[in-house]
């Protein structure tokens, strides 16, 4: 069940990160989900490092760190994905 939640949270965080980033991102949705999962893991690691991973109530700081991690990973991932694809424009 933990993997299912990781995929759902990664998908949602990836979509929010794509909405926050300016311009159009060219990676597919499955890759956005993977980037969102990686960003959430990085956000959790930073929250643990600064000591805010377990608080009473809703962990707003941890969630914001997860979102910030997803924005960074989705942004960098889009740059890497675009360079690997050779900057080709996709027709949709």
């Amino acid at each position: 069940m933990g993997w299912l939640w990781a995929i759902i949270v990664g998908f949602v965080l990836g979509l929010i990160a794509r909405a926050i980033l300016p311009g159009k991102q060219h990676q597919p949705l499955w890759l956005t989900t993977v980037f969102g999962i990686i960003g959430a893991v990085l956000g959790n690691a930073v929250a643990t490092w600064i000591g805010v991973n377990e608080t009473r109530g809703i962990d707003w700081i941890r969630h914001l760190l997860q979102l910030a991690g997803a924005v960074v990973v989705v942004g960098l991932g889009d740059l890497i994905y675009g360079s690997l694809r050779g900057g080709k424009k996709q027709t949709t």
Side-chain angles (χ1 to χ4, degrees):
M1 195 65 169
W3 285 103
L4 179 63
W5 277 113
I7 292 169
I8 292 169
V9 168
F11 179 70
V12 170
L13 283 175
L15 288 179
I16 294 171
R18 283 180 74 160
I20 290 172
L21 290 169
K24 180 172 171 44
Q25 290 78 39
H26 301 289
Q27 73 260 18
L29 281 178
W30 68 267
L31 196 54
T32 300
T33 303
V34 171
F35 291 157
I37 292 170
I38 294 169
V41 169
L42 288 175
N44 279 337
V46 171
T48 301
W49 180 63
I50 64 175
V52 294
N53 61 330
E54 294 291 330
T55 59
R56 293 191 329 228
I58 298 174
D59 297 331
W60 292 109
I61 296 172
R62 181 173 56 97
H63 295 317
L64 288 174
L65 290 170
Q66 288 175 339
L67 180 59
V71 168
V72 169
V73 173
V74 168
L76 291 175
D78 186 53
L79 291 174
I80 294 169
Y81 182 77
S83 67
L84 290 176
R85 301 259 319 159
K88 298 177 186 173
K89 293 192 176 193
Q90 297 178 354
T91 56
T92 53

